[in-house]
Protein backbone atom coordinates (compact mmCIF):
# COMPACT_ATOMS: atom_id res chain seq x y z
CA UNK A 1 0.00 0.00 0.00
CA UNK A 2 2.79 2.42 0.86
CA UNK A 3 4.73 1.67 -2.32
CA UNK A 4 1.55 2.17 -4.35
CA UNK A 5 0.85 5.44 -2.53
CA UNK A 6 4.37 6.67 -3.25
CA UNK A 7 3.98 5.83 -6.94
CA UNK A 8 0.57 7.53 -7.13
CA UNK A 9 1.79 10.64 -5.30
CA UNK A 10 4.99 11.00 -7.33
CA UNK A 11 3.15 10.60 -10.64
CA UNK A 12 0.17 12.74 -9.50
CA UNK A 13 -2.13 9.97 -10.71
CA UNK A 14 -5.64 11.38 -10.24
CA UNK A 15 -7.19 8.40 -12.03
CA UNK A 16 -5.71 5.95 -9.52
CA UNK A 17 -6.94 8.09 -6.62
CA UNK A 18 -10.45 8.09 -8.09
CA UNK A 19 -10.35 4.29 -8.44
CA UNK A 20 -9.26 3.94 -4.81
CA UNK A 21 -12.03 6.28 -3.64
CA UNK A 22 -14.53 4.17 -5.56
CA UNK A 23 -13.30 1.10 -3.66
CA UNK A 24 -14.31 2.73 -0.36
CA UNK A 25 -17.88 1.73 -1.19
CA UNK A 26 -17.16 -1.94 -1.84
CA UNK A 27 -18.52 -4.65 0.43
CA UNK A 28 -15.11 -6.34 0.63
CA UNK A 29 -13.78 -5.15 4.00
CA UNK A 30 -10.13 -5.97 3.26
CA UNK A 31 -10.24 -4.20 -0.10
CA UNK A 32 -11.88 -1.15 1.50
CA UNK A 33 -9.21 -1.03 4.20
CA UNK A 34 -6.38 -1.39 1.68
CA UNK A 35 -7.84 1.37 -0.49
CA UNK A 36 -8.20 3.69 2.49
CA UNK A 37 -4.65 2.97 3.72
CA UNK A 38 -3.29 3.79 0.26
CA UNK A 39 -5.37 6.97 0.09
CA UNK A 40 -4.22 8.35 3.40
CA UNK A 41 -0.62 7.47 2.55
CA UNK A 42 -1.10 9.41 -0.72
CA UNK A 43 -2.48 12.26 1.39
CA UNK A 44 0.63 12.38 3.56
CA UNK A 45 2.74 12.78 0.43
CA UNK A 46 0.46 14.80 -1.84
CA UNK A 47 -2.64 16.05 -0.01
CA UNK A 48 -3.96 17.90 -3.04
CA UNK A 49 -4.61 14.56 -4.73
CA UNK A 50 -7.07 13.37 -2.09
CA UNK A 51 -8.48 16.76 -1.00
CA UNK A 52 -11.31 16.72 -3.60
CA UNK A 53 -12.68 13.65 -1.84
CA UNK A 54 -13.01 15.13 1.64
CA UNK A 55 -16.76 14.47 1.67
CA UNK A 56 -16.13 10.74 1.22
CA UNK A 57 -13.71 10.77 4.16
CA UNK A 58 -16.17 12.82 6.22
CA UNK A 59 -18.85 10.21 5.57
CA UNK A 60 -16.55 7.44 6.80
CA UNK A 61 -16.19 9.22 10.17
CA UNK A 62 -19.61 7.91 11.15
CA UNK A 63 -18.94 4.33 10.06
CA UNK A 64 -19.47 1.55 12.60
CA UNK A 65 -16.12 0.12 11.42
CA UNK A 66 -13.40 1.75 13.56
CA UNK A 67 -10.77 0.94 10.95
CA UNK A 68 -12.60 3.13 8.46
CA UNK A 69 -13.08 5.90 11.00
CA UNK A 70 -9.43 6.20 11.95
CA UNK A 71 -8.31 5.74 8.33
CA UNK A 72 -10.60 8.58 7.28
CA UNK A 73 -9.22 10.73 10.09
CA UNK A 74 -5.68 10.02 8.86
CA UNK A 75 -6.74 11.20 5.38
CA UNK A 76 -8.39 14.33 6.78
CA UNK A 77 -5.25 15.10 8.79
CA UNK A 78 -3.30 15.05 5.51
CA UNK A 79 -5.86 17.19 3.71
CA UNK A 80 -5.64 19.89 6.39
CA UNK A 81 -2.36 21.17 5.00
CA UNK A 82 -3.84 21.56 1.51
CA UNK A 83 -7.46 22.57 2.22
CA UNK A 84 -7.80 23.84 5.77
CA UNK A 85 -11.09 25.60 4.95
CA UNK A 86 -12.70 22.33 3.87
CA UNK A 87 -11.50 20.56 7.01
CA UNK A 88 -12.67 23.44 9.19
CA UNK A 89 -16.18 23.00 7.77
CA UNK A 90 -16.35 19.38 8.99
CA UNK A 91 -15.11 19.98 12.54
CA UNK A 92 -18.45 18.81 14.04
CA UNK A 93 -18.08 15.42 12.35
CA UNK A 94 -14.41 15.21 13.34
CA UNK A 95 -15.18 15.90 17.00
CA UNK A 96 -18.06 13.40 16.99
CA UNK A 97 -15.65 10.76 15.66
CA UNK A 98 -13.13 11.58 18.40
CA UNK A 99 -15.75 11.06 21.07
CA UNK A 100 -16.34 7.47 20.00
CA UNK A 101 -13.14 6.67 18.14
CA UNK A 102 -9.85 4.98 18.84
CA UNK A 103 -6.57 6.49 20.00
CA UNK A 104 -5.49 6.71 16.36
CA UNK A 105 -8.63 8.70 15.54
CA UNK A 106 -7.91 11.06 18.43
CA UNK A 107 -4.21 11.42 17.55
CA UNK A 108 -4.99 12.51 14.00
CA UNK A 109 -7.83 14.76 15.13
CA UNK A 110 -5.41 16.50 17.52
CA UNK A 111 -2.89 16.88 14.68
CA UNK A 112 -5.69 18.35 12.55
CA UNK A 113 -6.77 20.74 15.31
CA UNK A 114 -3.15 21.79 15.79
CA UNK A 115 -2.78 22.63 12.11
CA UNK A 116 -6.01 24.64 12.19
CA UNK A 117 -5.16 26.40 15.46
CA UNK A 118 -1.87 27.53 13.92
CA UNK A 119 -3.83 29.67 11.46
CA UNK A 120 -5.31 32.81 12.95
CA UNK A 121 -8.52 32.54 10.94
CA UNK A 122 -9.32 29.15 12.48
CA UNK A 123 -7.70 29.51 15.90
CA UNK A 124 -10.72 30.91 17.77
CA UNK A 125 -12.65 27.73 16.99
CA UNK A 126 -9.88 25.14 16.83
CA UNK A 127 -7.92 26.10 19.96
CA UNK A 128 -10.77 25.54 22.46
CA UNK A 129 -11.33 22.12 20.89
CA UNK A 130 -7.62 21.37 21.15
CA UNK A 131 -7.54 22.51 24.78
CA UNK A 132 -10.46 20.19 25.55
CA UNK A 133 -8.52 17.29 24.08
CA UNK A 134 -5.65 18.11 26.43
CA UNK A 135 -8.02 18.15 29.40
CA UNK A 136 -9.30 14.68 28.57
CA UNK A 137 -6.35 13.06 26.81
CA UNK A 138 -5.23 9.60 27.88
CA UNK A 139 -2.03 9.86 29.89
CA UNK A 140 -0.01 8.10 27.18
CA UNK A 141 -1.05 10.73 24.64
CA UNK A 142 -0.81 13.83 26.83
CA UNK A 143 2.92 14.57 26.29
CA UNK A 144 2.60 14.43 22.51
CA UNK A 145 -0.51 16.60 22.54
CA UNK A 146 1.17 19.08 24.89
CA UNK A 147 4.16 19.37 22.60
CA UNK A 148 1.96 19.98 19.58
CA UNK A 149 -0.29 22.53 21.29
CA UNK A 150 2.68 24.44 22.72
CA UNK A 151 3.96 25.09 19.20
CA UNK A 152 0.76 26.81 18.01
CA UNK A 153 -0.86 28.39 21.05
CA UNK A 154 -1.42 32.13 20.77
CA UNK A 155 -0.99 34.46 23.76
CA UNK A 156 -4.70 34.61 24.72
CA UNK A 157 -4.77 30.83 25.23
CA UNK A 158 -1.28 30.25 26.62
CA UNK A 159 -2.30 30.63 30.27
CA UNK A 160 -5.19 28.17 29.81
CA UNK A 161 -2.89 25.63 28.19
CA UNK A 162 -0.34 26.13 30.98
CA UNK A 163 -3.02 25.60 33.64
CA UNK A 164 -4.25 22.40 31.99
CA UNK A 165 -0.74 20.97 31.75
CA UNK A 166 0.17 21.97 35.32
CA UNK A 167 -3.01 20.30 36.59
CA UNK A 168 -2.39 17.10 34.65
CA UNK A 169 1.36 16.87 35.27
CA UNK A 170 1.06 14.94 38.58
CA UNK A 171 -1.14 12.32 36.86
CA UNK A 172 1.66 11.24 34.52
CA UNK A 173 3.00 7.80 35.46
CA UNK A 174 6.60 8.06 34.26
CA UNK A 175 9.47 10.50 34.54
CA UNK A 176 9.90 10.54 30.76
CA UNK A 177 6.30 11.64 30.18
CA UNK A 178 6.58 14.28 32.91
CA UNK A 179 9.80 15.59 31.38
CA UNK A 180 8.12 16.05 27.99
CA UNK A 181 5.21 17.98 29.52
CA UNK A 182 7.60 20.04 31.67
CA UNK A 183 9.53 20.95 28.52
CA UNK A 184 6.28 22.14 26.89
CA UNK A 185 5.47 24.12 30.04
CA UNK A 186 8.91 25.72 29.99
CA UNK A 187 8.35 26.80 26.40
CA UNK A 188 4.96 28.28 27.36
CA UNK A 189 6.42 30.18 30.30
CA UNK A 190 9.15 31.63 28.10
CA UNK A 191 6.67 32.87 25.50
Amino acid sequence: NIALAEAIASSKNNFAVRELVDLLGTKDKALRSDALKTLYEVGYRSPDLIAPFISQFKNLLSSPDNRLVWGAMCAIDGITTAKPEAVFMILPQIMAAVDRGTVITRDHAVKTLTKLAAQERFARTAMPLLLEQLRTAPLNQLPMYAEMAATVVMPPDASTLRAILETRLPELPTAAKKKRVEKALKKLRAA
Side-chain angles (χ1 to χ4, degrees):
N1 293 338
I2 293 173
L4 178 58
E6 288 170 348
I8 291 169
S10 66
S11 66
K12 304 286 186 202
N13 189 335
N14 289 310
F15 180 75
V17 170
R18 176 81 239 173
E19 284 186 325
L20 290 166
V21 169
D22 289 344
L23 290 174
L24 296 176
T26 186
K27 294 195 184 299
D28 183 329
K29 192 173 180 177
L31 191 56
R32 241 187 359 243
S33 290
D34 283 345
L36 186 54
K37 164 84 171 150
T38 305
L39 284 165
Y40 70 71
E41 291 290 345
V42 168
Y44 293 157
R45 291 157 179 81
S46 188
D48 286 332
L49 284 175
I50 67 166
F53 305 101
I54 191 166
S55 64
Q56 286 87 337
F57 299 120
K58 177 194 77 162
N59 292 340
L60 292 177
L61 291 176
S62 59
S63 171
D65 182 344
N66 270 332
R67 169 68 181 92
L68 294 180
V69 174
W70 66 256
M73 197 61 245
C74 291
I76 292 166
D77 175 16
I79 292 170
T80 307
T81 58
K83 300 283 184 192
E85 304 85 6
V87 174
F88 182 78
M89 297 304 293
I90 64 167
L91 274 177
Q93 292 86 354
I94 290 170
M95 299 317 297
V98 168
D99 289 342
R100 55 180 175 60
T102 66
V103 171
I104 299 170
T105 303
R106 185 185 288 242
D107 285 353
H108 285 278
V110 168
K111 289 176 184 178
T112 299
L113 289 170
T114 301
K115 290 172 188 173
L116 292 174
Q119 299 185 40
E120 193 172 335
R121 60 192 167 145
F122 305 122
R124 289 295 99 222
T125 301
M127 185 52 76
L129 296 171
L130 181 57
L131 292 171
E132 185 56 30
Q133 291 307 306
L134 285 157
R135 280 186 191 94
T136 62
L139 295 178
N140 279 343
Q141 307 312 107
L142 183 61
M144 178 177 65
Y145 297 175
E147 291 162 347
M148 287 191 287
T151 65
V152 300
V153 69
M154 294 183 188
D157 297 307
S159 61
T160 304
L161 177 57
R162 220 174 24 251
I164 292 167
L165 297 180
E166 287 169 349
T167 300
R168 300 229 36 213
L169 187 62
E171 300 171 30
L172 294 169
T174 67
K177 290 184 188 326
K178 286 181 181 178
K179 185 175 182 180
R180 288 174 67 190
V181 171
E182 286 168 349
K183 187 174 179 183
L185 279 165
K186 184 176 180 184
K187 181 177 182 171
L188 289 168
R189 290 181 189 119

